Amino acid sequence: MEPLIRIRGLSKRFGNGCHRCLSATGPEFETNMCPHCGSVVACNDVSFDLYKNEALGIVGESGSGKSTLVRLLHFEWDATGGSMEIHRDAGLNVMQELFGDRDIYSRNLLGLSPFQKRQMRNALMGIVYQNPFLGLRMNVSSGGNIAERLLGAGWRNIGRMRERAAELLEKTEIPLDRMDEPPKNFSGGMQQRVQIAKALSNNPLILYLDEVTTGLDLSVQARVLDLIRTLQSEYKLSLLVVSHDLGVINLLCQRTMVMKYGRVVEAGLTDQILQDPQHKYTQLLVASQL
Amino acid sequence: MLKCIYRTYLPGSGSVWYDSAEYGRIDLATLPDRAVIDIRTREMGYVSQFLKVIPRVSALDVVMEPILARNGVSRDEARIRAVGLLERLRIPEHLFDAYPATFSGGEQQRINIAHAVSWKPRLLLLDEPTASLDSGSVELVLDILRELRREGTTMIGIFHDTELMASVTDSVFTIC
Ligand SMILES: Nc1ncnc2c1ncn2[C@@H]1O[C@H](COP(=O)(O)OP(=O)(O)OP(=O)(O)O)[C@@H](O)[C@H]1O
Ligand SMILES: [Mg+2]
Ligand SMILES: [Zn+2]
């Protein structure tokens, strides 16, 4: 089986950069900030494959570049370098022009126009943020939040949008009689479930989850994780799961990448990362959470 | 050693040659991660010493999950197989829909074994599968293992009880 998407050399620098940025940052230097020019190398040369219906974990300490990676892949920020390509058989019925005649993979999606990126995002991706304020409009009804997303994806029929919103909220265990209430009335766990419903509204192939259970009570956390597991197998989703919490990664992901100061220091099977970590930093990380 | 074969540990050196149904002769020690996942999904099972409990998944679902994910059968068929296995292992019926987190050590281990054998892997690694079982349950488990072998599963197991080991194995490899 070939990967659904291929990421190669993904990099993001904040600041103008100089020719020494890369040789003066990273885990060996214990910083992501270039001492010569002050630029921040938020992530550098990250490469990986994501397969259909797999969950890939990304762990690493605060500031290691995890969210940056997600924002680049969600087209929220422009990458400094690197590529993202999607497999021809992904089942996208938009933008066939992205594929060369014989090519199995599309051209670099990071180089698309803003309009094309919006289309691609609508056809391909959903995202759930740690902070529900980033993913939801807190004063708009929960149903309205989903309808808004559907509008953006080209839906026009109000009745069908309402039906779809109800279906998704039911899937994510939000009582339907609360569909017209705004998320600001909801508990943290419920807000995350509305975010998940919204992220799934366009039937994405890929779901980005950035610390979705951080800060929730343990029992609430367990319920959100259960939901994610169920939805993943039901919709055959590919997940990119960012978390500080190795327990979350262990529950959801078969493979894991470990990041530090913007670099991937180790990648492997999740049970191997947890039981036989190779990099010194991973060993510390695992030891600190035992 | 078992963990090196299953690739939970990365061998520092050496090879683990495996004659895979899917890939032919391969070295598990250096196989790419995705292929290891594939082999684990299609061919290679592992029975740990203790059940790794997934919160809030019922005993029956724990046993059905690998059948559903691997054997391409309907939910009803998977359910029938899983129930059959649980009954054989004498798990009381009222526990089928309960969460294993609350089970006794012996019950948990029988769930663990049912989970590992339910999909009939081609290669099964067993890390002291019977250590936490009473003698009645040990016989039930050994029966299932013998049956699996007759059906073609190759097994590598760690046993402390030498008498018991002699009753299920063809060859014994001793590490000092
Ligand atoms: N707009 C920006 N300008 C400058 N630096 C930034 C900007 N956004 C992020 N950074 C820096 O990039 C680095 C990576 O940040 P990122 O948010 O990706 O970390 P993270 O791994 O998600 O951390 P956390 O676990 O705390 O969420 C950090 O050092 C951060 O300060
Ligand atoms: Mg972050
Ligand atoms: Zn610099």
Side-chain angles (χ1 to χ4, degrees):
Chain A
M1 204 177 51
E2 288 160 316
L4 175 66
I5 54 169
R6 292 198 305 208
I7 310 298
R8 294 293 178 267
L10 192 60
S11 303
K12 176 68 180 176
R13 187 187 63 232
F14 293 101
N16 293 329
C18 68
H19 64 283
R20 289 186 288 185
C21 284
L22 292 184
S23 55
T25 58
E28 312 89 284
F29 303 92
E30 306 207 341
T31 180
N32 62 4
M33 186 186 279
C34 174
H36 309 291
C37 73
S39 297
V40 171
V41 180
C43 72
N44 183 56
D45 197 21
V46 175
S47 300
F48 63 92
D49 295 329
L50 183 67
Y51 288 77
K52 187 161 179 60
N53 198 26
E54 90 163 330
L56 178 65
I58 303 179
V59 294
E61 66 193 1
S62 188
S64 58
K66 307 180 297 291
S67 296
T68 300
L69 206 65
V70 169
R71 299 208 172 213
L72 296 176
L73 298 177
H74 194 238
F75 304 145
E76 288 173 54
W77 293 347
D78 287 325
T80 310
S83 66
M84 171 183 193
E85 302 162 339
I86 180 155
H87 198 285
R88 173 188 278 285
D89 298 338
L92 288 182
N93 37 26
V94 293
M95 295 192 280
Q96 280 310 311
E97 71 273 15
L98 297 181
F99 297 90
D101 268 349
R102 293 243 155 96
D103 298 342
I104 298 174
Y105 284 91
S106 70
R107 46 181 252 246
N108 185 0
L109 302 182
L110 301 179
L112 300 182
S113 71
F115 173 73
Q116 288 174 311
K117 280 184 176 168
R118 228 174 9 256
Q119 267 193 314
M120 184 54 81
R121 189 194 288 154
N122 278 327
L124 186 64
M125 323 170 173
I127 188 164
V128 182
Y129 301 94
Q130 171 178 0
N131 182 345
F133 280 85
L134 287 176
L136 296 175
R137 294 221 289 160
M138 285 297 170
N139 295 312
V140 174
S141 76
S142 305
N145 263 284
I146 294 173
E148 230 175 47
R149 180 95 207 275
L150 293 171
L151 267 173
W155 290 48
R156 289 297 174 262
N157 182 318
I158 303 282
R160 293 215 25 237
M161 287 196 278
R162 208 176 148 75
E163 250 168 56
R164 174 79 177 142
E167 177 194 332
L168 288 159
L169 290 170
E170 194 166 10
K171 278 254 181 278
T172 54
E173 300 161 24
I174 303 289
L176 282 191
D177 56 6
R178 306 200 63 178
M179 172 171 174
D180 296 322
E181 269 183 68
K184 68 163 189 240
N185 293 1
F186 293 171
S187 68
M190 278 174 84
Q191 289 175 349
Q192 286 315 55
R193 283 183 277 124
V194 177
Q195 263 208 94
I196 294 172
K198 180 176 177 182
L200 292 177
S201 56
N202 56 323
N203 274 320
L205 298 174
I206 303 173
L207 191 58
Y208 302 122
L209 302 171
D210 192 352
E211 305 276 7
V212 286
T213 57
T214 309
L216 299 176
D217 283 346
L218 279 183
S219 64
V220 179
Q221 230 184 65
R223 206 158 147 216
V224 172
L225 294 173
D226 278 358
L227 176 67
I228 292 169
R229 284 162 51 90
T230 312
L231 294 171
Q232 187 200 5
S233 74
E234 183 169 343
Y235 296 115
K236 302 275 172 272
L237 294 168
S238 302
L239 306 182
L240 200 63
V241 183
V242 169
S243 185
H244 290 101
D245 185 342
L246 295 174
V248 170
I249 298 284
N250 192 24
L251 192 66
L252 296 177
C253 306
Q254 288 181 306
R255 294 195 301 137
T256 298
M257 299 197 300
V258 184
M259 292 190 68
K260 188 166 168 71
Y261 294 118
R263 315 300 207 271
V264 174
V265 295
E266 180 167 357
L269 299 166
T270 303
D271 53 328
Q272 178 253 298
I273 296 277
L274 295 179
Q275 295 188 42
D276 187 20
Q278 305 293 302
H279 193 278
K280 209 175 95 218
Y281 169 66
T282 316
Q283 291 163 1
L284 280 172
L285 189 75
V286 171
S288 73
Q289 291 195 27
L290 279 184
Chain B
M1 263 178 56
L2 279 197
K3 286 192 174 180
C4 283
I5 297 173
Y6 198 63
R7 261 288 283 280
T8 296
Y9 291 170
L10 266 184
S13 62
S15 329
V16 181
W17 293 107
Y18 170 60
D19 187 9
S20 157
E22 180 70 19
Y23 295 82
R25 192 174 137 88
I26 47 173
D27 181 5
L28 290 172
T30 55
L31 199 65
D33 296 333
R34 275 295 305 186
V36 174
I37 290 174
D38 199 35
I39 297 263
R40 286 178 178 184
T41 309
R42 294 166 192 264
E43 304 185 26
M44 178 168 61
Y46 185 90
V47 185
S48 52
Q49 225 165 335
F50 303 102
L51 177 68
K52 188 179 115 192
V53 190
I54 300 176
R56 300 184 322 137
V57 177
S58 74
L60 190 57
D61 281 333
V62 169
V63 182
M64 279 173 65
E65 183 271 323
I67 309 176
L68 278 173
R70 294 164 163 100
N71 299 63
V73 300
S74 70
R75 251 196 108 71
D76 284 342
E77 172 66 28
R79 198 187 164 82
I80 291 169
R81 281 201 216 172
V83 166
L85 206 48
L86 290 176
E87 281 172 349
R88 253 184 100 173
L89 287 164
R90 304 229 178 103
I91 299 289
E93 199 179 330
H94 70 271
L95 291 182
F96 288 9
D97 292 319
Y99 303 140
T102 60
F103 291 9
S104 76
E107 287 162 352
Q108 285 194 0
Q109 185 57 358
R110 277 178 282 154
I111 301 295
N112 194 24
I113 290 165
H115 169 81
V117 304
S118 63
W119 61 285
K120 307 200 165 159
R122 193 163 173 272
L123 172 64
L124 184 59
L125 310 172
L126 304 130
D127 190 353
E128 295 202 52
T130 55
S132 56
L133 299 179
D134 58 47
S135 55
S137 314
V138 169
E139 258 326 299
L140 297 173
V141 168
L142 294 185
D143 253 3
I144 290 178
L145 295 184
R146 289 191 196 102
E147 181 180 309
L148 266 188
R149 268 193 55 198
R150 276 197 302 277
E151 291 175 4
T153 295
T154 300
M155 297 184 218
I156 305 177
I158 300 171
F159 295 91
H160 277 279
D161 183 333
T162 46
E163 212 171 298
L164 186 154
M165 177 165 67
S167 77
V168 280
T169 53
D170 301 309
S171 57
V172 175
F173 179 76
T174 312
I175 315 182
C176 331

